[in-house]
C-alpha cells in the first residue's frame, strides 16, 4: 500500500527470480483485498506467506481470515516484526499460523549472557534494559573492539571480526558510495506463545 512496502515487495520478487524459486506469486492486497491471497495457495504444499503491510486493524482482520482457512491449507506466515507491538493482536492466531518473524535484532531472554546483562543493567540503572541498551552494547563492543584490534582502518577487516553479541549479528557488505551495510537478518518463530531464535533454538518443521 505504501511506496516502502511496494519497494520491499519488488526486492523480494527480484531475489526469488534470481534464485529460480520454484513457485510463488505476488498479491496486492490494497487493490485485491486480504482474502485474495488464498487464491494462490496450494493444497498439497506448505504455503509461506510473506506479508509486507502494517496497521493493527488490517493485521487483526488478515490473520483472522487466514485462521478461518487454516484447516484447508498448510500455512506459515511471515509478517513484519512491528506486528508484535499491536496490543489487540490475537497471539493464538499467530501461534496457529506458525508465525515467523525477521528483523535486525532479537533478544533471547533464555540465554544466560542476556539474563546476566539484564541483571547488571537493572542493578546499575534501576530499570529494565530496552532494545537500545542491547543494541548499544553490541554495536559499541563490535566497533570499539574492531578499532582496538585493527586500528583506524578497521573497516577493511570487518569480514574477519567476530564478537559474542547479545541481540545482533553482523554481516557487512560494502556498497559503493554508501559505505558498509549490515545485511544480517535474525529469524525467530512463535512457538508455545514465546519467540524462539530459529537458527539456534528451533528447527523449521
Amino acid at each position: 500500500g505504501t511506496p516502502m512496502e511496494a519497494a520491499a515487495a519488488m526486492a523480494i520478487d527480484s531475489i526469488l527470480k534470481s534464485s529460480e524459486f520454484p513457485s510463488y506469486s505476488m498479491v496486492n492486497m490494497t487493490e485485491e483485498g486480504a482474502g485474495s491471497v488464498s487464491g494462490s495457495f496450494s493444497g498439497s504444499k506448505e504455503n509461506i506467506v510473506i506479508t509486507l503491510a502494517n496497521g493493527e486493524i488490517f493485521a487483526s482482520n488478515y490473520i483472522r481470515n487466514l485462521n478461518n482457512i487454516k484447516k484447508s491449507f498448510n500455512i506459515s506466515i511471515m509478517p513484519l516484526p512491528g506486528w508484535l507491538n499491536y496490543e489487540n493482536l490475537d497471539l493464538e492466531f499467530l501461534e496457529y499460523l506458525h508465525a515467523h518473524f525477521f528483523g535486525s535484532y532479537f533478544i533471547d531472554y533464555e540465554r544466560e549472557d542476556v539474563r546476566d546483562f539484564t541483571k547488571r543493567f537493572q542493578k546499575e540503572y534501576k530499570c529494565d534494559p530496552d532494545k537500545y541498551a542491547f543494541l548499544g552494547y553490541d554495536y559499541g563492543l563490535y566497533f570499539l573492539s574492531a578499532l582496538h584490534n585493527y586500528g583506524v582502518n578497521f573497516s577493511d577487516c570487518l569480514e574477519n571480526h567476530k564478537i559474542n553479541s547479545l541481540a545482533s549479528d553482523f554481516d557487512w557488505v560494502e556498497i559503493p558510495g554508501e559505505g558498509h551495510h549490515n545485511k544480517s537478518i535474525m529469524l525467530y518463530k512463535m512457538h508455545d506463545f514465546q519467540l524462539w531464535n530459529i537458527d539456534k533454538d528451533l528447527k523449521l518443521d
Side-chain angles (χ1 to χ4, degrees):
T2 68
M4 183 176 295
E5 292 164 359
M10 296 308 298
I12 293 176
D13 180 53
S14 177
I15 292 170
L16 293 176
K17 283 181 179 177
S18 65
S19 63
E20 298 182 354
F21 197 79
S23 176
Y24 74 96
S25 60
M26 294 179 62
V27 177
N28 187 331
M29 290 178 289
T30 303
E31 297 178 354
E32 303 176 42
S36 62
V37 69
S38 62
S40 305
F41 284 174
S42 166
S44 59
K45 299 180 180 180
E46 180 184 13
N47 299 279
I48 301 173
V49 188
I50 303 174
T51 307
L52 302 173
N54 275 309
E56 188 166 359
I57 295 176
F58 163 80
S60 296
N61 292 332
Y62 177 69
I63 63 172
R64 188 177 296 110
N65 289 335
L66 289 180
N67 187 68
N68 289 337
I69 62 172
K70 173 67 176 175
K71 292 181 180 179
S72 302
F73 299 100
N74 180 7
I75 303 171
S76 295
I77 66 171
M78 184 174 281
L80 296 173
W83 285 27
L84 292 169
N85 298 325
Y86 297 152
E87 294 182 359
N88 297 318
L89 205 63
D90 195 325
L91 294 182
E92 187 173 351
F93 285 168
L94 292 178
E95 173 88 12
Y96 190 51
L97 291 168
H98 303 143
H100 296 66
F101 296 90
F102 57 94
S104 58
Y105 70 94
F106 176 68
I107 304 171
D108 182 1
Y109 290 98
E110 297 297 318
R111 284 177 46 177
E112 184 176 350
D113 55 352
V114 171
R115 292 198 301 266
D116 180 63
F117 175 84
T118 300
K119 291 177 181 178
R120 290 188 286 117
F121 190 96
Q122 290 168 335
K123 182 178 180 180
E124 181 70 23
Y125 298 106
K126 307 300 186 282
C127 64
D128 294 329
D130 60 11
K131 68 176 183 179
Y132 298 109
F134 287 97
L135 295 178
Y137 175 87
D138 285 348
Y139 277 82
L141 178 62
Y142 185 87
F143 285 109
L144 290 174
S145 59
L147 178 63
H148 178 266
N149 292 340
Y150 303 109
V152 295
N153 295 319
F154 65 83
S155 61
D156 297 331
C157 307
L158 290 180
E159 63 180 27
N160 300 318
H161 187 54
K162 306 296 180 184
I163 64 166
N164 293 322
S165 55
L166 296 177
S168 313
D169 202 2
F170 301 96
D171 185 11
W172 300 99
V173 57
E174 186 173 3
I175 300 178
E178 297 184 15
H180 289 80
H181 288 228
N182 185 10
K183 65 177 182 177
S184 176
I185 293 178
M186 311 290 282
L187 295 175
Y188 45 101
K189 177 181 179 178
M190 179 76 70
H191 182 69
D192 291 337
F193 300 99
Q194 295 185 29
L195 295 174
W196 299 84
N197 187 326
I198 291 175
D199 295 331
K200 297 180 180 179
D201 302 312
L202 196 65
K203 300 296 183 182
L204 284 168
D205 298 328

